[in-house]
Amino acid sequence: HTSDPKELREYIDMMKGRVTNLEKFILDIANYARNSQQPLILETFAVKRIVFDCLEGLRFFSGAEKIKIYQEIPADLIVTTDLTRLQIVLSNLISNALKYSDLNKENKFVRIGAGLRSEKVVITIEDNGLGIPEDSLEKIFQMYSRVHEQSFGSGLGLYIVKETLEKLKGTITVQSQFGVGSTFKVELPNSSLPPKKETA
């Protein structure tokens, strides 16, 4: 027991941190369960709008105000997919880019790009954060994987991203260099495209 206000504040901060981690873990489990059980609900949305909504949800993320976010997304780019699932994917990837920013770099950034390629919507999330060690790259999508010593959260985030994308018939790849940064590339089938005309 202590009555020292400084020590009490430290205990409270520590408890808050643990509660936040627990909340994140519960949210991750809920997202995983929802992804496993809920049927796909396909609707058509502007990609720019989906990214905007994800960024709004992360606006108060600790340290986000020090990171420059660039968006290179055509206003008319649309995707037909399950909105909730795509938001889970993008929110996880963007929050990771913010979370693992490199505090030693002066011009910290996250660049979100999107476009059409071979009838697929391709979304890239690039950062100049801490990067991922080469020997960890193939493990990051596994359940409970933790890459950095100062890893936050449940270790479920990227596992859920991969599982969710499989439901959407999409894929994710990553390129990363430790100390330089990472780029995650999400590819989704775009069922809103008109069918190809058959040539006689």
Side-chain angles (χ1 to χ4, degrees), residues 16-28 153-154:
K16 276 183 185 169
R18 287 187 180 167
V19 168
T20 302
N21 284 346
L22 186 59
E23 282 175 345
K24 177 78 173 77
F25 182 70
I26 291 166
L27 180 63
D28 282 342
S154 62

Side-chain angles (χ1 to χ4, degrees), residues 16 29 34 47 52 57 59 67 74 77 81 91 95 105 128 136 140 144 147 168 183 187 197:
K16 276 183 185 169
I29 293 290
R34 190 184 299 125
V47 175
F52 175 83
R59 202 153 45 103
I67 302 167
L77 180 64
T81 191
S91 290
S95 68
K105 287 176 186 157
N128 65 341
S136 298
I140 60 169
Y144 304 124
V147 173
L168 298 174
T183 302
E187 294 191 32
K197 288 180 182 171

Side-chain angles (χ1 to χ4, degrees), residues 24-109:
K24 177 78 173 77
F25 182 70
I26 291 166
L27 180 63
D28 282 342
I29 293 290
N31 282 338
Y32 177 60
R34 190 184 299 125
N35 181 52
S36 305
Q37 295 163 10
Q38 296 292 321
L40 284 175
I41 300 167
L42 296 179
E43 296 176 81
T44 302
F45 299 92
V47 175
K48 202 175 182 79
R49 179 76 214 184
I50 300 170
V51 170
F52 175 83
D53 288 346
C54 289
L55 289 171
E56 277 294 290
L58 296 168
R59 202 153 45 103
F60 300 109
F61 200 95
S62 177
E65 71 285 352
K66 296 174 187 163
I67 302 167
K68 179 77 178 161
I69 295 176
Y70 299 96
Q71 294 183 62
E72 296 162 4
I73 306 166
D76 60 350
L77 180 64
I78 59 170
V79 62
T80 298
T81 191
D82 185 302
L83 176 63
T84 302
R85 283 183 166 93
L86 184 54
Q87 284 177 326
I88 287 169
V89 167
L90 294 182
S91 290
N92 261 297
L93 293 176
I94 297 168
S95 68
N96 275 357
L98 297 173
K99 212 184 294 182
Y100 297 109
S101 66
D102 188 339
L103 300 177
N104 295 316
K105 287 176 186 157
E106 199 174 327
N107 299 311
K108 296 180 276 293
F109 72 80

